[in-house]
Amino acid sequence: MKRLKSFDRKSPAEIVLYCLVSLLFAVVAFSYLYIVFWAVMSGAKTHTEIVLAPFSLPKKWNWSHYIEVFSLLNVNGHGFFEMLFNSCYFSIVGSLINQFVTITFAYCCSKYKFPASTLPYTIIMIMITLPIYGAGGATYKLYRNLGLVDSYAHILCSAGGMNLNFLYYRAFFKNLSWTYAEAAQIDGAGHFGVYFKVMLPQARPIFGALFLLCWLGSWNSYESALLYLPNLPTLPVGIYQFNTEMIYRARLDILFAACVLVSLPALLLFALFNKVITSNVSLGGIKG
């Protein structure tokens, strides 16, 4: 009843605008759902059906194509499950290292005053405004000299801290009252105790949201893995190279089935944690 009364108080123009915007959002949402359905459907078709009737339902749903992916998807002798392990390792562990280093760096720069405490913020703003395109060659040479190319130790390259998420964490800690730390220090907590037992637990919502976004980007990325991990391929790299092979072999059905399987973790993660990713994060627990 309250919602109906609130809706009745709107003017006719506002009601029309509300309906049009809702319709627009519904169309966009349906288009995304249809793309997912179309990919699943294409994976269950034959190659001929995909070419001749790409938008029609399959005459027979060949779910066995999804099973064939596990044996056919192979890159330089690396099978599906080996690439799956590489994807999970580099995306999950790498994202955890990246976010932990970034949030710790942001905490130190926002809560402790030292001569260069504001310098990282300035550098990141310059990097965002004026991106450096010519650093790729030097970066690759550095990683090669450090032995981080074609190595599981490549995840150490994630421990940079100088990225866009630094700004989010910095804003969070800037708005988080130091009263928490003072209360903990009275009870005898040191700097590490304050950070790990008081400050970091309060940052769990924003840490979780940014970790999920970082993981999604890392899971779907194939450029870095293709460049720095040619002999440790991930699933996106496998799909990238699998694409040409399946086109020449006239097996688009297997290609679509493989794409669906690789995208499943990201789809499930977003379905389960979309509220965590999209919701606003509280910037403190004490009101001034």
Side-chain angles (χ1 to χ4, degrees):
M1 293 298 293
K2 291 183 178 179
R3 290 186 179 181
L4 291 176
K5 291 180 179 179
S6 176
F7 192 78
D8 291 339
R9 287 198 295 267
K10 295 181 181 294
S11 65
E14 289 176 328
I15 294 175
V16 172
L17 179 61
Y18 177 84
C19 294
L20 289 176
V21 172
S22 299
L23 179 62
L24 176 62
F25 285 166
V27 170
V28 173
F30 175 78
S31 67
Y32 282 114
L33 291 175
Y34 177 75
I35 290 173
V36 175
F37 172 76
W38 180 80
V40 174
M41 177 183 68
S42 298
K45 287 183 174 182
T46 62
H47 176 83
T48 304
E49 287 179 316
I50 294 174
V51 175
L52 298 180
F55 300 105
S56 64
L57 293 174
K59 296 179 181 178
K60 179 183 177 182
W61 293 81
N62 300 297
W63 299 112
S64 60
H65 294 168
Y66 289 89
I67 305 299
E68 290 183 61
V69 172
F70 297 109
S71 58
L72 293 179
L73 184 56
N74 190 290
V75 176
N76 300 328
H78 300 275
F80 179 89
F81 291 102
E82 188 174 352
M83 288 187 283
L84 175 62
F85 171 80
N86 291 338
S87 291
C88 293
Y89 175 77
F90 288 109
S91 62
I92 296 175
V93 180
S95 297
L96 280 174
I97 292 176
N98 178 274
Q99 293 306 300
F100 178 75
V101 171
T102 303
I103 193 174
T104 304
F105 187 39
Y107 170 76
C108 294
C109 291
S110 60
K111 290 302 184 184
Y112 293 94
K113 301 300 180 182
F114 51 92
S117 61
T118 59
L119 184 60
Y121 175 81
T122 304
I123 293 175
I124 292 174
M125 294 303 297
I126 294 175
M127 291 170 60
I128 294 174
T129 308
L130 301 172
I132 302 174
Y133 294 104
T139 302
Y140 182 86
K141 185 176 181 180
L142 175 63
Y143 290 167
R144 170 67 69 179
N145 292 338
L146 293 175
L148 299 177
V149 175
D150 265 341
S151 171
Y152 285 107
H154 183 75
I155 57 171
L156 297 177
C157 301
S158 303
M162 300 285 286
N163 51 59
L164 184 62
N165 289 343
F166 174 90
L167 303 180
Y168 294 110
Y169 289 129
R170 181 177 180 272
F172 174 84
F173 287 120
K174 280 285 186 181
N175 289 276
L176 189 63
S177 175
W178 189 247
T179 306
Y180 297 111
E182 292 176 345
Q185 288 171 347
I186 293 175
D187 293 334
H191 294 291
F192 288 99
V194 169
Y195 177 60
F196 286 103
K197 296 181 180 180
V198 179
M199 294 298 185
L200 197 57
Q202 294 186 81
R204 280 184 296 182
I206 188 172
F207 181 89
L210 294 180
F211 166 77
L212 291 176
L213 291 175
C214 183
W215 179 86
L216 285 171
S218 180
W219 177 268
N220 294 322
S221 175
Y222 70 91
E223 301 94 340
S224 297
L226 191 63
L227 178 63
Y228 297 115
L229 304 167
N231 294 317
L232 294 173
T234 59
L235 281 176
V237 172
I239 294 296
Y240 174 77
Q241 298 189 6
F242 196 57
N243 177 41
T244 304
E245 180 184 351
M246 289 298 102
I247 290 176
Y248 279 112
R249 292 176 60 179
R251 292 303 306 269
L252 288 178
D253 48 346
I254 302 298
L255 177 61
F256 279 110
C259 291
V260 170
L261 290 177
V262 172
S263 62
L264 272 180
L267 291 173
L268 292 175
L269 189 72
F270 183 80
L272 293 173
F273 299 102
N274 65 87
K275 291 183 179 180
V276 176
I277 297 174
T278 58
S279 62
N280 294 323
V281 177
S282 175
L283 296 181
I286 295 179
K287 295 183 178 180

